[in-house]
Each structure stands twice: as structure tokens, then as C-alpha cells.
């Protein structure tokens, strides 16, 4: 088995330590769109790790070229491990904003399939229906087990907390976590003027004299979660945490978090956060490399990965 890394995303070395320190292939990538696999992959089970972050278009193109390079080099199977799926938010046309908008997530799915990917492993898709854009197997892993573990280990008052969704679309996610913790949940209804700008928020649920834990799949400019935090404090919450799977943190996100009333903003490392943590002491990271590593091991050995939907591998 080989694990082939591109130049961005979750550190492949953490994943390698969980699998086999000797299984990392030699890859050379130049910005002039040149990719070279430095050793034979003929007949091998290849895993290419690349997240949808940073220079996203360069990284996506790099991933596609590497998939195709391995495929035409006679790899027996090529699996793309994409911790943060690129363009996942453009998964449908929005009749309110623009009926001529592209469905970019479908386009990315088509490109991965045409490039030669045989299998996709990703985490917390923005919409689970994106799996239906593919005609190849897709394993959508969940950060929920790691999030539950972090809450129990780091929030002393977790038994007196309320899990809050910052929008109605995340209600299923927070109810699942609230049920596992046996606590209450709430949600915030938001109305947007346009993308990334929230007009009005209404809290549905009770957070008075409780710890409020905002849970969402991703945060970009952080306008939503910062407004939500203010709403929760004004509703009587004693402390506010935010837990996110994908911390994009673009534009004014870092300054907003620094000025917001969060105890901590917790993200997974599906996107590298080292630079952001230096700029914002409130940002903390949950390492999910062991989940991806175990998914790779189970896939290679033909084992079920459904265990990872509810457990953190030891």
C-alpha cells in the first residue's frame, strides 16, 4: 500500500505514523503544472491525500493530475483522501440569489471520476447528498466522535450545556450530538441579505444559565458564528464555545474571533491551522488524522469503516 501526498491539507505524516512510516511515496510537484511520481506504483493500492484549502484551484488540479499519473502508471486502485471537499457549498442552485449559479460540487465530482479516482474518502460533507454526485464509492466520515470526546475532556460543565446550531440546516447535526450527550439543543434561524452576510437572527431554545456550544460543519468569514455568540450571551448563556469541522477562516475571520465572546473556537485539522493559531489564541485544534488513517487501513484491508461513524480509533 502506498500513501501519496500532495503539497497541502492535513499533514500526511500524521496519517503515516498511524499506518506505516515506510509507506509514503516520493512525489515531486512543480507550480508549472508538472507532477512526477518518484517510484513504481504498478499494481499498488494508492491513497492520495489532498485537502480543499489554501490555493484551492492549484491544489485541486494537482490532485487530479496525480490521480491520473497513478492511474496510467497501472496502479490497481487510486483513492483520493480529501478531508475538506472543495466547492462543497455550491451543491445546488439557489432560486433566491441566482438561478444561473453553477453546481460546482458536481463538477468537481465529475473531474475526480474522469481523472481516474476509484474511491473517495472525505469528512463532514457540507451536504451528504454530494455523495450522490459520484458513480464511485464515497466514504463520508464524521468528526462527531472526536468532537464528543473533546467536549467531555475539556468542558467541565458539559452536563449543563446546550448544543446550538447556528442555522436550521445544521439541526440534524446538533440533535445527534445532543442525544449522545443527553443534553438539550437549540438552533438559530438566520436570514441572509447575500452570501456571507447575515441580516437577522432568532434563537429557538433556552440557553439561560448554561454553557452554549455552537456546532457547525465549517466557518468561512465567521460572521454567522460571531453574531450567534452575541445572541447566545444576550440570551443568558454563561459561556460560549464554537466547534467546527472545517475552519476556513478567510477575510476578517480572525479579527472577528479575537473580538468575539468565545471561550474557545475548536476546529479539526482537515485544514492546516498552525498560522491561524499564532494569530488567535482562542483557536484550538482536534486532530482527526487517526480517523483518516484508520479509514485508509480498513479500506485497504477490505474491512467496514462504519465503526468510525460513532467511535474514535484508539
Amino acid at each position: 500500500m502506498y500513501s501519496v501526498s500532495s503539497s497541502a491539507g492535513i499533514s500526511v505524516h500524521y496519517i503515516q505514523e498511524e499506518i506505516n512510516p515506510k509507506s509514503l511515496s516520493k512525489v515531486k510537484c512543480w507550480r508549472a503544472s508538472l507532477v512526477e511520481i518518484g517510484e513504481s506504483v504498478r499494481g499498488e493500492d494508492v491513497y492520495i491525500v489532498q485537502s480543499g484549502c489554501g490555493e484551492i484551484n492549484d491544489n485541486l488540479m494537482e490532485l487530479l493530475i496525480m490521480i491520473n499519473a497513478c492511474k496510467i502508471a497501472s496502479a490497481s486502485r487510486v483513492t483520493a483522501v480529501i478531508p475538506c471537499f472543495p466547492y462543497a457549498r455550491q451543491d445546488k442552485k439557489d432560486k433566491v440569489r441566482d438561478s444561473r449559479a453553477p453546481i460546482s460540487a458536481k463538477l468537481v465530482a465529475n473531474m475526480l471520476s474522469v481523472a481516474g479516482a476509484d474511491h473517495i474518502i472525505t469528512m463532514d460533507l457540507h451536504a451528504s447528498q454530494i455523495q450522490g454526485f459520484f458513480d464511485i464509492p464515497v466514504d463520508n466520515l464524521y468528526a462527531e466522535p472526536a468532537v464528543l470526546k473533546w467536549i467531555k475532556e475539556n468542558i467541565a460543565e458539559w452536563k449543563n450545556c446546550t448544543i446550538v446550531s447556528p442555522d436550521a440546516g445544521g439541526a440534524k447535526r446538533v440533535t445527534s450530538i445532543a442525544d449522545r450527550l443527553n443534553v438539550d439543543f437549540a438552533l438559530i434561524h438566520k436570514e441572509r441579505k447575500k452570501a456571507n452576510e447575515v441580516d437577522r437572527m432568532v434563537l429557538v431554545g433556552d440557553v439561560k444559565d448554561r454553557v452554549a456550544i455552537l456546532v457547525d460543519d465549517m466557518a468561512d468569514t465567521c460572521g454567522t458564528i460571531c453574531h450567534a455568540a452575541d445572541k447566545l450571551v444576550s440570551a443568558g448563556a454563561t459561556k460560549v464555545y464554537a466547534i467546527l469541522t472545517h475552519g476556513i477562516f478567510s477575510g476578517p475571520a480572525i479579527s472577528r474571533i479575537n473580538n468575539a465572546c468565545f471561550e474557545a473556537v475548536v476546529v479539526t485539522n482537515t485544514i492546516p491551522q498552525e498560522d491561524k493559531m499564532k494569530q488567535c489564541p482562542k483557536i484550538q485544534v482536534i486532530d482527526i488524522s487517526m480517523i483518516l488513517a484508520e479509514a485508509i487501513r480498513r479500506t485497504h484491508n477490505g474491512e467496514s469503516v462504519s465503526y468510525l461513524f460513532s467511535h474514535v480509533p484508539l
Side-chain angles (χ1 to χ4, degrees):
M1 177 181 65
Y2 283 81
S3 233
V4 184
S5 169
S6 291
S7 60
I10 182 173
S11 175
V12 73
H13 298 291
Y14 295 146
I15 297 176
Q16 286 304 125
E17 289 170 4
E18 302 288 341
I19 306 173
N20 182 351
K22 297 181 180 179
S23 62
L24 183 63
S25 292
K26 300 181 181 70
V27 181
K28 293 180 181 179
C29 300
W30 293 272
R31 285 303 176 194
S33 300
L34 296 174
V35 173
E36 179 183 326
I37 310 299
E39 58 188 87
S40 174
V41 294
R42 182 178 295 274
E44 298 288 353
D45 189 9
V46 179
Y47 295 82
I48 303 177
V49 183
Q50 177 72 298
S51 201
C53 60
E55 297 292 336
I56 185 169
N57 296 317
D58 288 345
N59 294 337
L60 176 58
M61 199 66 210
E62 218 171 68
L63 172 62
L64 297 170
I65 293 171
M66 290 176 70
I67 290 171
N68 188 252
C70 291
K71 202 66 181 176
I72 63 177
S74 300
S76 65
R77 180 174 63 174
V78 180
T79 299
V81 182
I82 312 173
C84 181
F85 194 85
Y87 292 99
R89 286 190 293 180
Q90 278 195 312
D91 60 336
K92 61 183 181 295
K93 289 188 177 183
D94 191 329
K95 64 181 180 180
V96 176
R97 287 199 289 270
D98 190 354
S99 62
R100 293 171 296 280
I103 305 177
S104 304
K106 170 64 173 171
L107 177 60
V108 172
N110 288 343
M111 289 193 295
L112 289 166
S113 297
V114 171
D118 299 298
H119 182 206
I120 304 294
I121 297 175
T122 187
M123 177 165 279
D124 272 351
L125 285 170
H126 188 62
S128 294
Q129 294 88 333
I130 291 174
Q131 295 172 83
F133 292 165
F134 291 89
D135 293 321
I136 57 176
V138 178
D139 284 321
N140 181 30
L141 305 175
Y142 299 99
E144 180 181 308
V147 167
L148 290 168
K149 182 181 178 184
W150 189 93
I151 290 173
K152 291 178 179 178
E153 291 178 352
N154 295 275
I155 302 178
E157 313 95 323
W158 67 268
K159 291 183 179 180
N160 183 38
C161 75
T162 299
I163 310 298
V164 185
S165 173
D167 56 38
K172 186 176 180 181
R173 185 182 301 109
V174 300
T175 53
S176 176
I177 293 175
D179 288 345
R180 294 280 297 275
L181 293 173
N182 195 26
V183 297
D184 292 335
F185 75 93
L187 63 86
I188 293 174
H189 173 66
K190 63 183 179 183
E191 296 178 356
R192 291 183 183 272
K193 289 180 179 177
K194 57 182 181 180
N196 292 338
E197 288 189 17
V198 177
D199 182 24
R200 190 169 69 94
M201 297 186 122
V202 178
L203 175 65
V204 181
D206 182 24
V207 296
K208 186 173 177 60
D209 299 325
R210 297 183 183 180
V211 174
I213 304 176
L214 280 162
V215 177
D216 206 356
D217 65 320
M218 66 173 60
D220 186 1
T221 58
C222 292
T224 297
I225 63 167
C226 289
H227 283 129
D230 292 338
K231 188 73 178 177
L232 293 169
V233 170
S234 65
T238 56
K239 294 179 181 178
V240 180
Y241 293 84
I243 301 181
L244 318 158
T245 303
H246 310 297
I248 300 170
F249 299 146
S250 66
I254 296 300
S255 62
R256 284 176 174 174
I257 293 172
N258 281 327
N259 295 327
C261 52
F262 292 113
E263 293 291 317
V265 175
V266 184
V267 294
T268 69
N269 56 348
T270 56
I271 295 173
Q273 300 295 344
E274 288 80 3
D275 292 340
K276 300 292 192 299
M277 291 174 71
K278 292 176 183 176
Q279 300 173 45
C280 179
K282 293 181 182 180
I283 294 177
Q284 299 182 30
V285 171
I286 299 172
D287 181 20
I288 49 84
S289 60
M290 76 292 290
I291 298 177
L292 294 175
E294 182 64 10
I296 291 172
R297 189 194 68 78
R298 286 171 177 261
T299 301
H300 178 64
N301 293 329
E303 301 173 17
S304 171
V305 300
S306 58
Y307 173 85
L308 300 176
F309 296 163
S310 56
H311 297 84
V312 177
L314 300 176

